[in-house]
Amino acid sequence: MSMSDSLVSCGHLDPVIAQGSTQCREARPCIHKASQRMSSDLGSGPPSSCMHIQWDLKGKTKLSLNQHSYSEMLYEHNSRDQELVRLTELITQLLVELNHSLTSVIPESALLILIGWILGGIIYGADKMQTFTLTPTVFFFYLLPQVILDAGYFMPNKLFFSNMGAILVYAVIGTCWNAATVGLGLWGCWLGGAMGDIDIGLLQFLLFGSLIAAVDPVAVIAVFEEVHVNEVLFIMVFGESLLNDGVTVVLFNVFDAFVSLGGAEIDAVEIIKGIISFFVVAFGGSLVGIIFALLISLLTRCTKNIQIIEPGFIFILGYLSYLTAEMLSLSAILSIVFCGICCQKYINANMDERSVTTVRYVMKVFANGSETIIFVFLGISAIDPAVWVWNTGFILLTLLFIFVFRFIGVFLLTWILNKYRLVPLEFIDQVVMSYGGLRGAVAYGLVAMLDENKFKEKNLMVSTTLIVVYFTVMLQGITMKPLVTWLKVKRAAVTELTLAEKIQNRTFDHMLVAIEDISGQIGHNYMRDKWHNFEERWLCWFLMKPSARKSRDYIFNIFHQLNLKDAMSYVKEGERRGSLAFVRNETKADVDFNKKFRASFSEIMPDIMADNMGPDHVPLSSILQDIVPSVCLVMHEQDLTMRESEDFNAHHLLQQHLYRGRKQHRHRYSRSHLETNRDENEVQEIFQRTMRSRLESFKSAKMGVAPAKKIQTKHQKKDKPQKMPNGNSSDKSKNHPYGDKGTCSLLFTSLLHYMKWLTRPPQLRGHQPPVVCIIIQSHSKAISGICLILENRLD
Amino acid sequence: MGSTNSTLSKIPNVEELMQETGFTPAHIVRLYDRFEALDKEKTGHLRPQDFGAINRLAMNPIGDRIIGAFFSPGQETVDFHSFVRILAHFRPADKKRPKDPSMPEPVNSRTSKLKYPPLVFSLISVAFQLYDQDKDGKISRAELLQVLRSMLEMQVTEEQLESIADRTIQEADLDKDDAISFEEFRKSLEKVNIDHKMSIRFLR
């Protein structure tokens, strides 16, 4: 593809116009010849099929084309074009926003296409020809990269790489299968005469098959936004749609070259060259992406003093990776995908929090914008009689074949894959995967790039592609959700669940998650561990800022050293006093982190400071938490009777306040939603409570009866289970399943792990001071006890 | 596969285990790898702190109770067989497995621990044990309060908590003894499609 602008204009005009009259609308430019001449003038590659005429929005005098240089015209047209595009986008976004309920039934992409049709109709009606179409250049260079970069940057890496094998199988083998079967099927039917008389050959059918076979990432995301499927299924379809570009590009170019050569010249050598070119293109593209990811990571490592423009680098380098791969004739989509995938982790660690937020939001903005424009233009492009050639047989057969062969292909491949997978893909998953193979703008872009001279039936192909895209996006998009609901296991009656059921449902959810964690959902893999070690040692050292690295390791080390030091000092103290019984009676062990470590680690330990402490040495934030009222209770009590209100309140409380737990079936990637922080706060809270309860049980087990001094705060009053009036507190130690030693080691290990977890990306930490200060400050006796035991064990 | 067989031979009584639980050799190997990964000191037994090392369990409100469920009362360690047996409870009931009358019924289709008639879902018994910490066969109000406490956010006050617990017991308690017995528990869950919920797919 060339970089030339596709806005060319025609030299053939009405003589009336040439004389500078005011009526511009009747101009009928000649499409093919002009574009050819223009492109040869400008020295560009394959010509585009579109034509643009300057359309003055305000209806002023149309300038005579003959009297202006091309560049001026292009410039003016460009700006008008942009105006219209922006206007379009604004309107569509507004319209779509107004109708949230509508979008849950009809996917946004379908609505956008509809709007595109309407707009196209307006433009056509006003101008008597289609001024705006989706040109390959605009699409491939200005609209697509953002979408793909967004997909790569937000890709859930773990999920992606653990399913990589299956994704590759679908992407490579599946696409080849689709291309071959569709192409050959159509060829067979043409030979059989089902399509009438068209000037086409086997190679052209194969080429058409290859470009229509590819599942489109833009369309897939747009539809799967609404349909919530489980993660594995989602990543399969999504990953496949991204990675199949490697195959599509190769097949397209190979068959394009074959068509140019003519059928006679093709021999084994050419075919082998074709196969080799696949490997070169695919791996080369990925390599370019990875190189750029390295560049970006290194760059963010050095940008401490220019944080304000850090976000810009990400976008520029991402786009650069796309262009570089394109320039080297490698797969550009693969390049930008891998760039996004590989650099996520390092740039999130290196960059300032605000830059990271900026990057995330801007990327979503660009991606959403591009997607909107793409679909609207897909709609507009249809309203152009010049490109429509109707051939019932061709079109219907294409639709049939892509549908049927997709199903067959997916089921076949899944059957083979299930023999090697530990988690088999079920029937319903396969159905959704087959049905979700949507074609979209990429296919249209590719078909619009074809050369009319070589492909006499180009318009037929364009029309067919458009119809296929509409069919899949609109029909399959709309019916996907009902299909999924219909196929799912029979649901329980949708009656109001009782309280017990609600609670139990949630308990089961938590149980499920816990068992998954215990049994290790993603198994321990030799290769994965090796990679992990390599990455921790070398890559992080190379690519991450020293301070980012430090915060991952050093706080952990601090804590460890701290405890050892304290343990040693207590042992010494105990030796001096003759026994260790003093530990029990000590009112407060003063562990002043500030004094000890402020100098070396001040930048990393901002929160473990007394500034955040309230009067009782309990972090203020925890006290503040209590003050948040449950407003709803008060509001409704007046309306309902006593009993009803109790009932209502109870249900409402449960609704509001039950911990949600980790959702199995949550969409990990979303075009329009950035992950909110609620989960992380919830997780922190649960973690704190678990730690505290473990500590409590350890303490009560170790110290016998309730400890001498307990810090009474409002916060603690809530945490009452151990103080139930039925005198069970002393039974706690008996009931405790872990036993003494078990608990303390458990506690210590958990605390260490918590510290490690705590020092992960700053976003997770939030604004709450880490629990370790609560625990250490108020239960330092316990900690010392732990250290003692540890010290004993170390000897 | 070669590695499967060699690992399988390391596990004692693996045939019996497979029959009893219904896991395939590949699964058993995977669980064994996981067991070994958790058992950092290579003692052949898991202790509570090994479970505690699983970071994500601490982020689970009932994580500690689940850990407790692995350890029978009085036991301090869990060996591989018990580990697998307990996990077998969570396999979805496989309707397609041929019912061979000569084989003992697989673990996950009966409640082995209680003297109740065989139920389809022994998951319910595991869940019941989560609530019933003192193992008296009933969920008392206090025990229910504890579980509720752990599953609700901090903002909920004690009074609200108690009212929820009261209402729950009222709904489920049929014989009015202010506690939920196993039967009542099971009845209250009739509408919940447990098998569907608890289908941990990779344990199939």
Side-chain angles (χ1 to χ4, degrees):
Chain A
M1 289 178 281
S2 69
M3 284 293 285
S4 71
D5 204 307
S6 58
L7 304 171
V8 294
S9 47
C10 174
H12 295 217
L13 277 182
D14 255 335
V16 175
I17 308 292
Q19 287 161 17
S21 83
T22 56
Q23 297 309 315
C24 63
R25 294 169 200 193
E26 281 71 49
R28 301 231 192 303
C30 157
I31 297 182
H32 303 286
K33 292 200 193 117
S35 61
Q36 278 180 359
R37 190 170 61 229
M38 280 312 107
S39 51
S40 58
D41 280 348
L42 296 172
S44 60
S48 60
S49 65
C50 313
M51 264 287 317
H52 300 270
I53 272 216
Q54 187 165 2
W55 184 39
D56 194 332
L57 279 172
K58 301 185 185 84
K60 283 205 250 173
T61 310
K62 183 174 192 284
L63 306 159
S64 162
L65 293 170
N66 288 339
Q67 295 165 7
H68 287 260
S69 69
Y70 292 133
S71 51
E72 271 185 352
M73 242 173 2
L74 292 177
Y75 175 72
E76 278 162 343
H77 190 117
N78 222 343
S79 56
R80 296 267 182 275
D81 200 14
Q82 282 179 6
E83 266 181 49
L84 193 71
V85 164
R86 301 289 171 264
L87 195 63
T88 309
E89 201 195 317
L90 196 63
I91 296 176
T92 52
Q93 290 281 25
L94 283 175
L95 283 175
V96 168
E97 281 307 314
L98 288 173
N99 258 325
H100 273 291
S101 55
L102 192 57
T103 55
S104 63
V105 174
I106 308 181
E108 211 174 285
S109 43
L111 283 176
L112 287 171
I113 293 185
L114 278 172
I115 294 179
W117 284 344
I118 298 174
L119 275 174
I122 297 175
I123 297 177
Y124 183 75
D127 213 22
K128 289 296 178 286
M129 64 148 284
Q130 191 50 263
T131 0
F132 296 98
T133 52
L134 187 63
T135 64
T137 313
V138 167
F139 175 67
F140 280 111
F141 285 100
Y142 300 120
L143 294 176
L144 190 61
Q146 291 99 300
V147 178
I148 309 293
L149 184 60
D150 172 72
Y153 183 75
F154 285 99
M155 174 78 75
N157 269 355
K158 234 184 189 172
L159 205 57
F160 181 66
F161 283 110
S162 54
N163 286 305
M164 185 62 128
I167 294 180
L168 277 176
V169 165
Y170 285 116
V172 177
I173 304 183
T175 312
C176 288
W177 160 268
N178 278 336
T181 50
V182 170
L184 290 174
L186 284 175
W187 179 62
C189 291
W190 173 69
L191 283 181
M195 297 176 204
D197 207 9
I198 45 180
D199 182 7
I200 203 165
L202 168 65
L203 286 170
Q204 303 196 358
F205 275 121
L206 284 175
L207 178 67
F208 181 68
S210 70
L211 65 88
I212 204 95
V215 177
D216 186 69
V218 182
V220 160
I221 297 171
V223 167
F224 275 69
E225 277 281 303
E226 287 300 325
V227 180
H228 296 292
V229 297
N230 67 60
E231 310 185 307
V232 174
L233 177 58
F234 174 71
I235 202 74
M236 295 278 198
V237 184
F238 190 41
E240 180 199 342
S241 68
L242 286 174
L243 294 186
N244 65 20
D245 179 66
V247 181
T248 311
V249 161
V250 170
L251 284 177
F252 185 80
N253 288 327
V254 161
F255 285 123
D256 204 20
F258 281 0
V259 167
S260 313
L261 281 179
E265 308 272 329
I266 302 173
D267 56 358
V269 179
E270 299 294 326
I271 297 184
I272 292 180
K273 271 204 243 171
I275 297 180
I276 293 180
S277 75
F278 162 69
F279 286 104
V280 168
V281 163
F283 287 110
S286 320
L287 200 63
V288 169
I290 293 177
I291 293 176
F292 272 92
L294 280 175
L295 269 176
I296 295 184
S297 314
L298 276 176
L299 198 64
T300 50
R301 192 181 173 202
C302 316
T303 51
K304 188 162 176 206
N305 297 322
I306 41 170
Q307 277 174 356
I308 203 75
I309 55 172
E310 269 179 331
F313 285 126
I314 316 296
F315 292 99
I316 292 176
L317 282 174
Y319 192 45
L320 206 56
S321 78
Y322 187 85
L323 293 178
T324 311
E326 189 57 46
M327 188 179 71
L328 299 171
S329 304
L330 303 169
S331 165
I333 292 186
L334 279 183
S335 160
I336 203 172
V337 164
F338 278 98
C339 181
I341 287 180
C342 298
C343 75
Q344 300 174 3
K345 178 175 170 191
Y346 304 108
I347 61 181
N348 284 340
N350 281 342
M351 289 203 298
D352 184 46
E353 212 173 302
R354 288 163 300 187
S355 302
V356 172
T357 315
T358 312
V359 168
R360 284 160 58 113
Y361 271 98
V362 174
M363 209 166 297
K364 287 291 177 199
V365 167
F366 281 163
N368 268 306
S370 292
E371 192 188 308
T372 311
I373 299 180
I374 290 176
F375 280 114
V376 170
F377 265 84
L378 269 182
I380 295 182
S381 307
I383 315 295
D384 188 3
V387 299
W388 282 99
V389 176
W390 186 268
N391 181 328
T392 322
F394 192 82
I395 293 176
L396 287 179
L397 282 170
T398 311
L399 281 175
L400 179 71
F401 284 149
I402 60 167
F403 197 69
V404 166
F405 283 124
R406 167 100 183 143
F407 268 85
I408 297 178
V410 166
F411 276 81
L412 206 63
L413 286 174
T414 316
W415 178 73
I416 298 176
L417 270 177
N418 274 347
K419 296 193 190 224
Y420 296 102
R421 280 176 66 89
L422 216 46
V423 186
L425 288 163
E426 308 170 18
F427 175 72
I428 177 180
D429 291 343
Q430 297 171 37
V431 169
V432 173
M433 215 188 306
S434 325
Y435 201 69
L438 307 176
R439 274 69 171 177
V442 174
Y444 178 75
L446 286 174
V447 86
M449 266 177 23
L450 294 175
D451 180 1
E452 282 94 30
N453 295 331
K454 289 192 280 182
F455 297 88
K456 298 287 186 276
E457 298 294 335
K458 177 183 167 178
N459 281 331
L460 173 62
M461 292 194 200
V462 169
S463 325
T464 316
T465 311
L466 277 176
I467 292 191
V468 165
V469 169
Y470 295 147
F471 184 80
T472 55
V473 170
M474 301 183 87
L475 237 91
Q476 283 181 239
I478 295 178
T479 54
M480 175 83 88
K481 211 173 180 186
L483 180 74
V484 171
T485 23
W486 178 66
L487 280 176
K488 277 206 165 117
V489 183
K490 55 193 178 304
R491 292 166 162 214
V494 194
T495 54
E496 182 65 20
L497 295 175
T498 64
L499 280 176
E501 282 161 356
K502 274 190 186 166
I503 298 175
Q504 204 48 42
N505 260 338
R506 197 49 60 86
T507 313
F508 275 133
D509 284 339
H510 290 307
M511 247 162 82
L512 191 72
V513 172
I515 295 294
E516 275 187 6
D517 288 331
I518 291 180
S519 55
Q521 195 179 7
I522 303 176
H524 284 253
N525 202 333
Y526 174 70
M527 281 308 297
R528 188 172 298 124
D529 287 341
K530 266 233 146 353
W531 164 255
H532 207 65
N533 289 337
F534 168 73
E535 202 226 344
E536 288 275 332
R537 263 191 86 192
W538 298 103
L539 286 183
C540 289
W541 170 81
F542 186 48
L543 295 172
M544 278 209 215
K545 257 198 260 199
S547 57
R549 241 184 307 131
K550 234 198 254 180
S551 67
R552 283 153 62 90
D553 292 335
Y554 276 27
I555 290 196
F556 172 70
N557 286 335
I558 297 170
F559 186 59
H560 196 66
Q561 287 172 28
L562 222 110
N563 280 303
L564 286 181
K565 277 199 181 140
D566 281 338
M568 288 202 284
S569 66
Y570 272 107
V571 169
K572 286 203 190 93
E573 187 73 14
E575 279 172 357
R576 198 175 62 85
R577 294 199 195 183
S579 86
L580 291 170
F582 80 100
V583 172
R584 232 174 264 164
N585 299 328
E586 202 89 297
T587 49
K588 189 164 74 165
D590 235 324
V591 185
D592 194 350
F593 298 120
N594 205 353
K595 249 191 288 178
K596 283 186 190 171
F597 293 101
R598 192 213 299 267
S600 19
F601 299 115
S602 55
E603 60 170 7
I604 302 170
M605 295 176 36
D607 293 332
I608 315 182
M609 285 303 135
D611 311 334
N612 285 339
M613 301 296 182
D616 289 327
H617 283 273
V618 172
L620 268 174
S621 65
S622 60
I623 298 179
L624 284 174
Q625 254 183 350
D626 310 340
I627 303 180
V628 175
S630 318
V631 182
C632 41
L633 277 177
V634 179
M635 280 192 328
H636 290 278
E637 253 177 61
Q638 303 153 359
D639 304 344
L640 310 169
T641 66
M642 198 50 191
R643 186 187 164 94
E644 278 172 21
S645 70
E646 269 177 30
D647 210 0
F648 179 82
N649 290 339
H651 278 275
H652 200 97
L653 273 174
L654 277 187
Q655 200 75 19
Q656 290 269 56
H657 294 296
L658 269 178
Y659 283 130
R660 287 176 314 153
R662 208 172 74 216
K663 291 237 176 75
Q664 266 63 25
H665 303 283
R666 181 177 49 196
H667 224 38
R668 295 272 216 105
Y669 172 83
S670 163
R671 172 53 51 74
S672 42
H673 299 291
L674 283 176
E675 265 180 21
T676 58
N677 274 331
R678 192 181 172 210
D679 279 347
E680 276 131 18
N681 287 340
E682 182 179 297
V683 158
Q684 272 206 334
E685 196 174 284
I686 298 178
F687 206 109
Q688 287 179 20
R689 296 175 67 182
T690 315
M691 287 300 133
R692 187 176 294 116
S693 73
R694 285 182 183 170
L695 201 58
E696 290 290 340
S697 49
F698 163 74
K699 230 173 29 162
S700 55
K702 189 105 187 94
M703 311 289 182
V705 194
K709 179 169 178 186
K710 210 171 164 105
I711 295 181
Q712 292 291 342
T713 62
K714 286 191 233 168
H715 196 56
Q716 288 254 343
K717 267 194 222 151
K718 302 265 163 28
D719 214 39
K720 274 216 175 158
Q722 291 92 340
K723 288 192 180 170
M724 285 312 291
N726 38 15
N728 272 346
S729 51
S730 52
D731 292 344
K732 260 284 154 279
S733 50
K734 276 187 244 152
N735 283 344
H736 207 278
Y738 307 144
D740 260 3
K741 240 181 185 169
T743 315
C744 80
S745 331
L746 170 63
L747 177 61
F748 191 59
T749 337
S750 332
L751 280 172
L752 287 180
H753 282 279
Y754 178 62
M755 291 303 293
K756 239 183 172 164
W757 176 78
L758 193 68
T759 56
R760 270 204 265 112
Q763 294 95 300
L764 276 184
R765 245 192 282 147
H767 298 294
Q768 296 171 344
V771 74
V772 72
C773 49
I774 306 173
I775 293 184
I776 291 179
Q777 290 287 339
S778 58
H779 301 287
S780 42
K781 278 181 284 183
I783 297 289
S784 322
I786 295 170
C787 306
L788 279 171
I789 294 180
L790 266 177
E791 190 68 0
N792 291 337
R793 280 171 65 180
L794 286 171
D795 287 337
Chain B
M1 289 179 271
S3 64
T4 320
N5 286 333
S6 65
T7 326
L8 274 180
S9 54
K10 277 194 260 172
I11 312 168
N13 293 335
V14 72
E15 291 296 327
E16 181 194 318
L17 194 63
M18 282 200 293
Q19 264 193 7
E20 193 186 326
T21 56
F23 279 124
T24 64
H27 272 123
I28 300 266
V29 168
R30 205 140 110 348
L31 288 175
Y32 190 70
D33 287 337
R34 177 65 173 168
F35 186 82
E36 292 208 307
L38 286 176
D39 180 17
K40 300 222 167 54
E41 300 178 9
K42 307 282 173 249
T43 58
H45 294 270
L46 285 182
R47 284 150 305 157
Q49 55 264 40
D50 294 323
F51 284 102
I54 305 172
N55 223 0
R56 305 179 102 170
L57 269 185
M59 302 187 205
N60 196 316
I62 53 173
D64 286 349
R65 285 173 183 260
I66 306 256
I67 296 178
F70 274 82
F71 295 87
S72 321
Q75 262 194 325
E76 289 239 342
T77 60
V78 161
D79 67 347
F80 182 61
H81 282 247
S82 326
F83 183 67
V84 174
R85 273 199 207 101
I86 294 182
L87 284 180
H89 280 286
F90 295 94
R91 300 184 60 211
D94 192 2
K95 300 171 189 67
K96 289 182 263 183
R97 246 183 301 134
K99 297 271 196 274
D100 188 351
S102 60
M103 282 203 309
E105 246 186 273
V107 174
N108 70 333
S109 70
R110 84 176 155 180
T111 58
S112 44
K113 296 183 169 84
L114 301 171
K115 301 181 227 65
Y116 294 88
L119 300 169
V120 181
F121 310 116
S122 69
L123 295 172
I124 302 191
S125 72
V126 175
F128 191 76
Q129 277 168 27
L130 282 183
Y131 286 90
D132 185 20
Q133 292 280 8
D134 57 3
K135 314 251 186 284
D136 60 355
K138 285 182 182 300
I139 304 176
S140 67
R141 187 166 169 279
E143 289 167 341
L144 185 64
L145 264 175
Q146 277 180 35
V147 178
L148 272 178
R149 176 76 263 164
S150 65
M151 296 214 317
L152 284 167
E153 293 175 2
M154 297 286 237
Q155 298 157 280
V156 183
T157 65
E158 199 58 32
E159 302 83 48
Q160 293 167 345
L161 202 62
E162 287 181 11
S163 78
I164 296 179
D166 284 334
R167 293 212 58 77
T168 311
I169 292 189
Q170 261 180 4
E171 280 173 359
D173 191 13
L174 302 167
D175 57 3
K176 304 293 173 217
D177 59 353
D178 206 29
I180 304 180
S181 72
F182 185 75
E183 268 307 311
E184 293 162 355
F185 187 70
R186 191 182 62 81
K187 236 189 215 109
S188 72
L189 292 177
E190 269 168 351
K191 274 197 254 164
V192 177
N193 187 354
I194 297 179
D195 197 37
H196 177 61
K197 274 195 97 54
M198 294 295 279
S199 51
I200 302 186
R201 292 145 56 105
F202 62 94
L203 283 181
R204 190 162 307 158

